[in-house]
């Protein structure tokens, strides 16, 4: 029923709670969030990165100038359609300040953890 999502390896379609799409570093990043029971070992989210296709288009009809335009992947567009069917149009179209703060705090935890891990490796070399 959802061939694009299934081709992406998404099997828990009934547990999808929400999703977000953002543009980051030249890629579209689709993140799908799941409803999970407390203590579940299954991931609460999955992230997918999609490259964009580049087209050269005529920019000004009279002067024969061209420019490059990037377009989202057909896969991400189809996945979005299927996700909207599943969760409705509840997904976040605008990132809120609170979401950005949460994302930044999470990034800080990940970076600090990685720094600690590398420090331990360095200490064990001496």
């Amino acid at each position: 029923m959802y061939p694009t999502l299934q081709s992406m390896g998404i099997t828990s379609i009934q547990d999808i709670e929400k999703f977000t799409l953002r543009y980051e570093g030249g890629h579209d990043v689709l993140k799908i969030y799941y409803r999970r029971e407390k203590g579940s070992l299954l991931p609460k989210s999955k992230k997918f990165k999609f490259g964009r296709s580049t087209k050269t288009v005529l920019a000004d009809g009279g002067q024969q100038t061209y420019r490059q335009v990037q377009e989202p992947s057909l896969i991400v567009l189809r996945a979005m359609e299927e996700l909207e069917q599943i969760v409705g149009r509840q997904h976040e179209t605008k990132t809120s300040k609170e979401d950005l703060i949460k994302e930044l705090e999470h990034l800080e935890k990940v970076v600090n953890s990685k720094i600690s891990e590398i420090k331990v490796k360095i200490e064990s070399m001496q």
Side-chain angles (χ1 to χ4, degrees):
M1 189 164 172
Y2 301 104
T4 306
L5 296 176
Q6 289 174 346
S7 72
M8 293 167 54
I10 298 172
T11 56
S12 303
I13 291 173
Q14 69 283 357
D15 294 329
I16 294 174
E17 183 175 42
K18 65 179 184 173
F19 65 96
T20 58
L21 180 68
R22 67 179 186 272
Y23 183 72
E24 177 182 292
H27 292 86
D28 290 310
V29 179
L30 175 65
K31 191 166 185 181
I32 300 173
Y33 298 86
Y34 298 96
R35 281 183 288 282
R36 298 291 189 216
E37 296 291 324
K38 189 169 186 167
S40 173
L41 298 177
L42 295 172
K44 292 185 179 184
S45 65
K46 282 188 181 178
K47 189 187 297 186
F48 302 89
K49 287 187 177 183
F50 300 91
R52 287 191 159 205
S53 61
T54 304
K55 284 185 172 180
T56 303
V57 295
L58 189 61
D60 184 18
Q63 298 187 0
Q64 297 294 321
T65 55
Y66 294 89
R67 64 183 172 112
Q68 291 189 339
V69 176
Q70 290 188 338
E71 292 183 341
S73 161
L74 285 176
I75 296 170
V76 76
L77 295 175
R78 289 180 185 146
M80 292 283 294
E81 288 176 9
E82 292 176 10
L83 286 164
E84 286 174 355
Q85 289 175 9
I86 295 167
V87 299
R89 300 208 175 252
Q90 298 173 351
H91 74 280
E92 301 166 21
T93 56
K94 182 177 158 188
T95 305
S96 69
K97 182 178 178 179
E98 293 81 22
D99 291 337
L100 290 174
I101 289 170
K102 285 179 187 177
E103 193 173 330
L104 183 61
E105 288 170 349
H106 175 70
L107 179 61
E108 286 174 338
K109 287 178 186 177
V110 171
V111 169
N112 288 335
S113 174
K114 191 65 177 175
I115 288 171
S116 297
E117 180 183 317
I118 292 171
K119 284 180 179 179
V120 167
K121 287 180 181 180
I122 290 170
E123 288 296 321
S124 67
M125 295 175 123
Q126 296 177 356

